[in-house]
Amino acid sequence: MTDAHITVHTEAGIDRIEPELHGHFSEHLGRCIYDGIWHSQESDGEGFREDVVSLLDDLDMPVLRWPGGCFADDYHWEDGIGPREERPRRRNLFWSQDRSEAPEEPNAFGTHEFLNLCERIGTEPYLATNVGSGDPQEAADWVEYACYDGDTELADRRRENGREDSWEVPYWGLGNENWGCGGQMTPEQYAREYRRFATYVGSMDNLMVDHDIELIACGFENHAWNRRFMEEIGNTNWGVEFPLDHLTLHHYYGRTMSVAEADEEQYDAFLAEALEMDEHVERIAAAIDAVATTRDIGVIIDEWGAWHTEAVAESGLEQPGTVIDALSAAAVLDVFNHHSDVMTMSNIAQTVNVLQCLVETEGDEAWARPTYRVFDLYAPHKGNEAVQTSVDTPTRDVADEELPLIHASASVDDETYVTMTNLNTRGTHTVEIDVEDVDATSADVDAEVLFEGQEPDLAVDANNADEFTADELDVTVESETLTVELEPSTAAAISLE
């Protein structure tokens, strides 16, 4: 018996799904960089973990944010350039490295290593500058060092350090969580600091660099804070009225839940909390529109994902990679598709080993996590036009909210691509899909499904990683209606061409 229905309105376009909505985030935290992306024991030469680089390259990542996170507002970029044996060992004010719990940063992985990684895997770099403990000169110097091709001291120093040609770094974040670990600033204080930094960094693309520099301000889940920031940032007697291209917020969910100990009701609450992303995107967009416009200032969610009780400072914020977390990521990516008219980027936290990472390592082994499989399944959406979807689904009461048990989004280009999740961890649903203006009976239909037959708390390791790849999904077509059966805790995709 059919109990859910999805209608894809192919002519009701929302906007282009920017590839950057599938972006990623890496911070000097735990084993994300050292023993994750970089072999910590390497002192010279290329210390990249080739197994990790290969997995990231296969993912076709559109953008990667670095070096933080809280780490960014205590990081001074000049510590991470030059011969590695001469780089200073500094404190890491916020996080331990490796599993040693030592709050020290060796600076073996710095600007050159990060930007070379981005070139190797074909991803755009997003650098977060130090507003909390730095100054505008330091931020502007970083742009000059990385991006200027002239004959200044900083450009010549880059060449002496082994990079003749400049890099094109399009995205520059001015600060991180400056309402918290980035300085505990009021929105008005951060707006004033932000404008000061933007005056110098934002002027670099006038004469110094040959590409556009996009400036990113860090907002807050407290949306009144965002409104006050936007009002203050627009209060100027001279210069650009709104010197930012994007405003961000961070949304983590599941921080009171241990996946290993959770029951079905806690899974429901976790998924409902993940779907709060929808309201957060709407509210930060409203804060922008109240003062400026999202046509000029995009919304970025540059830290998001599951954060469970296992992820504490002592563990380097490591937690198991499970089916339920991957399922939440699929639902959130559907939310991002629905908001493609205002969203310009997102960055899941974090790339390797930390929080809801996509790749995990242990010793000489590296493997893809279930969330990696979700990003792979959803990749065909990138660059398509998102279209409206109507979902008639059963729901479940979760506290004061209703959890939709079937969630979906769709996009069109040469094909129509529909993704859907069964957020019911304890029941199968039969779903009908109608795709308007597409003759499903004559179309080439392909469908895949993730996590069939797997429990929500099933965790990945080196031995079972291949068990999380997609399987073929059976689709019946009758009178131009497609029908699929989604087992509990599954994510699926259907393409029609």
Side-chain angles (χ1 to χ4, degrees):
M1 176 181 177
T2 301
D3 58 3
H5 194 103
I6 298 169
T7 304
V8 178
H9 307 284
T10 58
E11 297 300 316
I14 301 172
D15 212 326
R16 182 176 187 262
I17 299 171
E18 299 296 341
E20 288 78 9
L21 291 190
H22 290 220
H24 302 270
F25 168 47
S26 56
E27 183 172 7
H28 288 242
L29 193 172
R31 297 191 308 124
C32 183
I33 301 298
Y34 303 111
D35 287 341
I37 292 171
W38 187 264
H39 282 296
S40 61
Q41 68 271 24
E42 294 286 343
S43 60
D44 52 33
E46 288 297 313
F48 294 111
R49 285 195 58 136
E50 294 301 327
D51 49 3
V52 171
V53 171
S54 178
L55 283 165
L56 299 183
D57 189 27
D58 289 345
L59 195 60
D60 194 21
M61 297 168 58
V63 62
L64 180 60
R65 178 178 180 243
W66 176 85
C70 291
F71 179 77
D73 274 295
D74 194 46
Y75 178 66
H76 300 283
W77 66 269
E78 288 184 278
D79 290 342
I81 62 172
R84 290 192 194 95
E85 65 273 11
E86 298 177 10
R87 297 180 190 179
R89 191 171 185 89
R90 301 290 193 193
R91 68 171 185 249
N92 187 326
L93 189 61
F94 297 100
W95 307 113
S96 62
Q97 301 283 29
D98 300 329
R99 288 172 172 159
S100 64
E101 298 185 36
E104 299 173 4
E105 168 55 50
N107 282 305
F109 189 93
T111 298
H112 286 249
E113 290 76 18
F114 173 70
L115 294 178
N116 288 342
L117 170 68
C118 290
E119 284 191 335
R120 287 193 59 182
I121 63 177
T123 190
E124 294 283 10
Y126 167 8
L127 291 176
T129 64
N130 182 344
V131 170
S133 65
D135 58 42
Q137 181 71 59
E138 180 181 33
D141 285 351
W142 201 5
V143 180
E144 182 180 342
Y145 179 88
C147 302
Y148 184 53
D149 265 330
D151 295 322
T152 65
E153 186 273 337
L154 285 170
D156 288 341
R157 199 191 317 177
R158 182 194 69 242
R159 297 185 184 99
E160 292 169 3
N161 289 332
R163 175 73 183 198
E164 179 65 30
D165 297 330
S166 62
W167 291 281
E168 287 193 5
V169 182
Y171 303 110
W172 292 85
L174 303 186
N176 170 80
E177 294 188 4
N178 299 92
W179 41 264
C181 62
Q184 299 193 39
M185 301 180 190
T186 66
E188 291 79 15
Q189 181 184 5
Y190 176 52
R192 291 189 289 270
E193 284 295 300
Y194 178 92
R195 181 174 287 284
R196 193 163 70 99
F197 274 70
T199 300
Y200 294 91
V201 175
S203 297
M204 298 296 290
D205 62 358
N206 183 25
L207 295 172
M208 299 293 291
V209 301
D210 295 327
H211 64 278
D212 291 334
I213 287 176
E214 298 188 33
L215 299 183
I216 301 169
C218 194
F220 194 11
E221 277 192 324
N222 179 333
H223 296 284
W225 196 99
N226 297 326
R227 172 69 177 266
R228 287 167 59 189
F229 168 80
M230 288 298 301
E231 289 172 344
E232 179 67 24
I233 204 77
N235 184 16
T236 179
N237 295 319
W238 179 84
V240 179
E241 185 177 8
F242 293 103
L244 67 157
D245 299 289
H246 314 268
L247 181 64
T248 81
L249 64 78
H250 300 163
H251 180 55
Y252 293 102
Y253 45 86
R255 297 185 72 163
T256 62
M257 185 181 90
S258 165
V259 176
E261 300 174 0
D263 58 24
E264 293 169 337
E265 291 184 356
Q266 288 171 307
Y267 293 152
D268 291 342
F270 166 72
L271 293 169
E273 188 180 0
L275 290 177
E276 289 175 5
M277 186 72 79
D278 185 63
E279 181 181 2
H280 282 302
V281 174
E282 289 181 356
R283 293 188 65 186
I284 193 172
I288 294 169
D289 277 337
V291 182
T293 172
T294 52
R295 290 192 301 274
D296 300 321
I297 300 170
V299 171
I300 292 177
I301 312 296
D302 62 5
E303 291 184 32
W304 68 273
W307 186 330
H308 297 302
T309 56
E310 292 88 345
V312 293
E314 291 77 15
S315 70
L317 298 196
E318 293 189 38
Q319 63 190 27
T322 61
V323 166
I324 191 69
D325 287 346
L327 191 66
S328 77
V332 169
L333 290 176
D334 282 331
V335 169
F336 292 161
N337 287 347
H338 294 311
H339 291 292
S340 59
D341 55 334
V342 298
M343 285 193 64
T344 47
M345 187 192 301
S346 87
N347 310 82
I348 191 170
Q350 294 189 7
T351 314
V352 185
N353 286 329
V354 174
L355 295 174
Q356 195 172 350
C357 58
L358 277 73
V359 174
E360 188 173 354
T361 70
E362 188 63 52
D364 293 331
E365 294 186 283
W367 58 91
R369 280 188 157 198
T371 298
Y372 183 108
R373 308 302 182 185
V374 164
F375 271 75
D376 192 43
L377 186 75
Y378 275 61
H381 281 306
K382 292 187 288 188
N384 286 3
E385 182 181 32
V387 295
Q388 297 284 351
T389 58
S390 302
V391 183
D392 182 9
T393 174
T395 62
R396 182 173 293 137
D397 290 338
V398 180
D400 296 327
E401 304 176 49
E402 285 192 345
L403 173 68
L405 298 182
I406 299 297
H407 202 259
S409 70
S411 66
V412 298
D413 189 26
D414 294 332
E415 64 177 7
T416 300
Y417 201 69
V418 185
T419 48
M420 66 198 81
T421 52
N422 180 2
L423 301 182
N424 189 349
T425 61
R426 45 198 186 271
T428 296
H429 291 278
T430 302
V431 185
E432 288 183 344
I433 305 103
D434 283 322
V435 183
E436 294 179 346
D437 301 307
V438 173
D439 183 0
T441 58
S442 61
D444 290 330
V445 178
D446 291 306
E448 292 182 305
V449 63
L450 292 171
F451 317 133
E452 275 192 340
Q454 295 172 327
E455 294 297 320
D457 62 351
L458 181 62
V460 69
D461 58 32
N463 297 317
N464 69 0
D466 290 341
E467 297 175 13
F468 295 88
T469 56
D471 295 316
E472 185 176 344
L473 177 66
D474 290 333
V475 183
T476 61
V477 182
E478 186 175 346
S479 301
E480 300 190 10
T481 295
L482 303 110
T483 303
V484 298
E485 187 171 274
L486 296 183
E487 292 186 10
S489 308
T490 51
I494 299 176
S495 66
L496 297 92
E497 187 173 359

